[in-house]
Amino acid sequence: QQGSYASREQKIYLDKSLIEEGGARGVSLILHETYHCCWYVFNLDKAEEERAVDSFANFTTELLRRNKQLRNWINQELCD
């Protein structure tokens, strides 16, 4: 398993080797697992498309705005 989100613990578990490998694959894995978190936090089980897309956009904006370390890591992995 590459990653998982434990909703009760509010923790994301990631395959360390994939993250250490770096690049777009690691970024995609982290975003994928944070979106599972978003789906749970915003209770999107039966969400309409526009509500879900809006929630993901707002979640991503806050995630990147509040987490400088993640933002810098994503830039390093994708842009350097």
Side-chain angles (χ1 to χ4, degrees), residues 44-73:
L44 296 174
D45 276 344
K46 298 177 183 176
E48 294 178 10
E49 182 179 357
E50 193 59 32
R51 178 174 163 228
V53 169
D54 189 49
S55 294
F56 282 115
N58 290 334
F59 177 83
T60 303
T61 299
E62 286 301 307
L63 178 69
L64 296 175
R65 187 178 70 82
R66 294 179 186 207
N67 194 327
K68 184 177 181 180
Q69 184 178 2
L70 177 62
R71 193 172 60 240
N72 289 341
W73 181 79

Side-chain angles (χ1 to χ4, degrees), residues 1-5 13-15 18 33:
Q1 187 170 342
Q2 297 177 356
S4 63
Y5 171 68
Y13 296 94
L14 303 167
D15 181 333
L18 241 162
E33 295 306 331

